[in-house]
Every structure is written in structure tokens, then in C-alpha cells.
Amino acid sequence: MTAPLVTILDDEPAIRTMLTDALEDAGFRTLSFGRAQAFTAALAQHRPDVCLVDLSLPDTDGLTLVHKLALEQGAIVIIISGRALVQDKVTGLELGADDYIIKPFDPAEVVARIRARLRTSRPAATSGQVARFAGWQVLFDQYVIEDAQGQQTPFSHAEGEVLRLFLENPKRLISRAQMQDHLGGAASESFDRAMDVRISRLRTKLREDPKNPQLIKTIYGAGYIFLGDVAWQ
């Protein structure tokens, strides 16, 4: 089995070297870049499993790149940044990042967070890559939702994790604590806000009435429940 590929985008050579050594010692393959231009060019030749992205890049806006990666690559996107404000974390997570690690960090923590994300991104043994419900089908291998007429709408890896959790547990209440446990987040304001944004975006993509959603229902004070009948293949 091929080891997961982790790409590292950071303009500090010492950080790239530290992460490369720690990840390769842990059994991962790595590619590292100091500029976004070289990084994006490499994506034409490689499909990473995880992207580590610094926000303070000399040749592009890191948040814009994170949003693009989340929608187009289907990879796990983890921000590594010296920006420690809650609002910075919230913005990164809202734009599609799966996790946010603040510098300075212990490389062992980065390895552990990557392993946790890879575990939660694996489909359950009882599910596949295509789910059908209420006239919709979700193609998890392509990161798109498709309506009955074949019109496709992309979703990010982070949105896909939430959607898969709902579709693997239809008509069952999912609490905030369960979401945190499954998705690898810590209880915090930034996690809660990121979940609210991801669920809101999924509702929009499923063309739900925001005032009266029929598929993803909020049970106030308890969590969420997905009400559709789901068939996997």
C-alpha cells in the first residue's frame, strides 16, 4: 500500500525541513515548496492526500489558496500559521480548511493531527463512494453533489466529512460532541462556527429552505438529524 502523500507549503526553509523529517520518519511521502506558484504547478502531476499550507506566503494570499484547494483538490487541508487570533482560525475553517495548527508547534503534533484526519476521512466499511437520497446523489470520489438532471455542485473535503457523517447515520441524532469526536475537532467557538458554516453551505447546495430545511434538521440544544432515506453503492 502506497504511503499517503503530504505536501508542505511554507516559505520558511527550517519549517519545511522539520516537517519533512518528522513526516518521513512517520512513514509519509512528502513534497515541500517555498512558493505557491511551484506548489500549484506540482498539483498537475501529483495528487496529495494532505496539504499543509502556511497563510503568510510571499506570492499569493494563503486564505484564497486554502479555499481553492478545499474545493478543487479533494485533499485534507491543514493550515499551519503564526496567526493565533480566533477570528483567523474561524476564517480558515470557514473557507474549507480541515484543521488549523498555530506556530510554533511540535512536529509530533502535526503528525498526530494528520493521522487523525486520515482516519476520519476513510469511509465506513458499510458505505461506498456514492450515496443516493431524495433525488440527489453524492459522488464522494469526485467531491460533487448531483441533482436528478445531472447538474453537479462541488463540495470541499471538510464539507464532505460532515455530509458523510450525516449520510452514514440517517435519522439518528448527531450531537455537537459526536461531531467533535468524529471530525477530530476540539470544543471551541471556532469549531462550532465552522460546523455551522459547513452545514449551512451543505443546505444551500441541497437547495434547502433555510427557514424550513427538510433534510438536515437542527434539533436545538441537541444537535442535527438527517431525515432522508440513503442508499449506498
Side-chain angles (χ1 to χ4, degrees):
M1 182 176 178
T2 304
L5 174 62
V6 181
T7 54
I8 304 160
L9 176 57
D10 195 297
D11 66 337
E12 297 183 54
I15 289 180
R16 295 199 304 273
T17 299
M18 177 181 66
L19 288 172
T20 295
D21 290 346
L23 288 164
E24 291 184 352
D25 286 346
F28 294 95
R29 295 177 297 137
T30 66
L31 291 171
S32 66
F33 306 89
R35 295 292 186 272
Q37 184 177 4
F39 169 74
T40 54
L43 294 179
Q45 304 295 325
H46 304 277
R47 185 179 179 124
D49 299 284
V50 181
C51 298
L52 298 177
V53 181
D54 183 25
L55 295 183
S56 300
L57 299 168
D59 59 340
T60 195
D61 176 65
L63 287 171
T64 300
L65 179 60
V66 164
H67 187 52
K68 182 179 175 67
L69 289 172
L71 287 177
E72 295 181 3
Q73 286 301 312
I76 296 167
V77 180
I78 299 177
I79 292 172
I80 49 174
S81 176
R83 303 179 191 176
L85 295 177
V86 170
Q87 186 55 51
D88 291 321
K89 294 180 65 177
V90 169
T91 301
L93 295 169
E94 286 180 347
L95 288 174
D98 295 271
D99 207 346
Y100 194 112
I101 300 174
I102 297 171
K103 298 177 181 177
F105 50 72
D106 186 325
E109 178 190 0
V110 179
V111 171
R113 301 272 276 270
I114 288 173
R115 284 176 168 160
R117 286 294 169 186
L118 288 170
R119 282 196 300 271
T120 60
S121 69
R122 295 187 190 123
T126 56
S127 65
Q129 291 296 326
V130 180
R132 291 187 170 87
F133 58 90
W136 295 92
Q137 70 172 358
V138 181
L139 309 174
F140 281 99
D141 57 342
Q142 299 177 41
Y143 289 87
V144 295
I145 298 171
E146 186 174 281
D147 66 14
Q149 288 71 48
Q151 181 178 344
Q152 294 186 338
T153 302
F155 57 85
S156 70
H157 181 276
E159 291 165 352
E161 283 192 322
V162 177
L163 184 56
R164 184 181 281 277
L165 177 60
F166 285 140
L167 298 182
E168 289 179 345
N169 299 276
K171 301 181 181 179
R172 292 173 56 188
L173 177 68
I174 299 174
S175 68
R176 289 273 187 172
Q178 288 172 312
M179 295 181 76
Q180 289 161 4
D181 181 63
H182 181 84
L183 301 175
S188 65
E189 177 187 354
S190 58
F191 180 87
D192 287 346
R193 285 186 58 183
M195 289 303 102
D196 290 340
V197 169
R198 290 171 193 175
I199 289 168
S200 176
R201 287 179 175 167
L202 287 172
R203 284 172 171 158
T204 298
K205 291 172 182 182
L206 293 170
R207 301 171 197 159
E208 292 256 72
D209 178 353
K211 295 181 180 179
N212 186 31
Q214 298 301 302
L215 288 171
I216 304 174
K217 300 283 286 188
T218 300
I219 309 300
Y220 291 100
Y224 299 93
I225 187 168
F226 185 84
L227 295 177
D229 293 314
V230 183
W232 287 92
Q233 69 176 53

